[in-house]
Every structure is written in C-alpha cells, then in structure tokens.
C-alpha cells in the first residue's frame, strides 16, 4: 500500500457530486478495429470547481459556457473528447465536454479541464 492510500480513500468522501462519463474507446471485433462510445464510469464521486463565469461574456441567445475543473479519483482513464454529465448534491445535472487530458500528478485525485456544454 502506498503512503498516500488513506488520502486516496478519504478525498472522495468529501465529494458530493456524481459523474457519468462516456467516451470513445478502441474496440476490436475479430480482425476489425473500431471506435465505439462506451460508459467509462457511472455515478462516480467527484467535485466540480468553476473556473470562470463572467456575465459580460454570455451570449444574447442564452448560451451558458464556462470553464470548470473536475476532481475525480485516480485510476480512471478518461480520453480527450469525453462527455461528462455531473449531478450535484441537489439533483441538478450539467453536461460538460472535455477540453484537455487529465492531470494525474496528485496521489489523491486527477484534475480534468472541461467546458460546460449546454444552453442556458
């Protein structure tokens, strides 16, 4: 067991949001290799941190895009371009799209940059 094992188990206990992540994975069917959309995790504990939400940059037509960061446990391989649906503690679900590959340099979690991807 690593010296960070306790921290790795404790951090998700403080996260009340739940993420369902879908993404493209390479699937081999006999001699044919194809990309399919698969569910990577479902109802996974996580935490969303809003990076910037300026009223001055909101569109007249009701788009509601802003940058956010997702904290989620290590050990999950989340490819770039994945769709992330996060349900908060109050039951509100928000859809995000992945903007970058996750940073896995922490023992307790990984961080993913993402953008809200829905109309206001």
């Amino acid at each position: 067991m690593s010296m960070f094992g306790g921290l790795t188990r404790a951090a998700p206990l403080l996260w009340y949001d739940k993420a369902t992540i879908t993404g493209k994975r390479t699937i081999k069917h006999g001699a044919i290799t194809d990309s399919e959309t698969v569910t990577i995790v479902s109802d996974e504990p996580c935490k969303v941190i809003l990076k910037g939400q300026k009223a001055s940059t909101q569109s007249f037509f009701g788009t509601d895009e802003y940058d956010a960061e997702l904290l989620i446990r290590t050990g999950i391989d989340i490819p770039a371009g994945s769709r992330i649906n996060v349900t908060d503690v109050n039951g509100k679900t928000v859809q995000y799209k992945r903007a970058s590959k996750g940073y896995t340099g922490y023992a307790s979690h990984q961080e993913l940059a993402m953008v809200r991807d829905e109309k206001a």
Side-chain angles (χ1 to χ4, degrees):
M1 176 178 279
S2 83
M3 63 185 206
F4 296 108
L7 179 60
T8 303
R9 287 187 305 275
L13 297 175
L14 303 173
W15 301 335
Y16 299 109
D17 300 334
K18 300 284 184 183
T20 298
I21 303 172
T22 56
K24 296 282 188 184
R25 289 276 168 98
T26 302
I27 308 289
K28 190 164 184 162
H29 300 284
I32 299 171
T33 302
D34 197 11
S35 286
E36 293 181 3
T37 300
V38 296
T39 299
I40 298 166
V41 292
S42 183
D43 291 329
E44 183 70 32
C46 65
K47 176 67 181 162
V48 174
I49 300 169
L50 302 181
K51 299 293 262 177
Q53 186 176 15
K54 297 177 187 173
S56 63
T57 62
Q58 300 305 312
S59 166
F60 177 74
F61 296 104
T63 59
D64 193 7
E65 282 196 3
Y66 55 83
D67 294 334
E69 191 171 300
L70 181 73
L71 307 182
I72 197 163
R73 73 175 167 87
T74 58
I76 304 170
D77 181 21
I78 304 170
S82 295
R83 292 294 208 191
I84 302 170
N85 290 321
V86 177
T87 303
D88 66 21
V89 70
N90 296 311
K92 169 108 171 90
T93 301
V94 177
Q95 183 175 356
Y96 297 91
K97 58 186 174 183
R98 282 282 264 89
S100 70
K101 182 115 176 98
Y103 177 71
T104 59
Y106 302 110
S108 59
H109 66 280
Q110 62 178 310
E111 295 182 1
L112 307 154
M114 52 189 192
V115 176
R116 183 173 177 171
D117 187 35
E118 55 187 34
K119 302 271 185 211

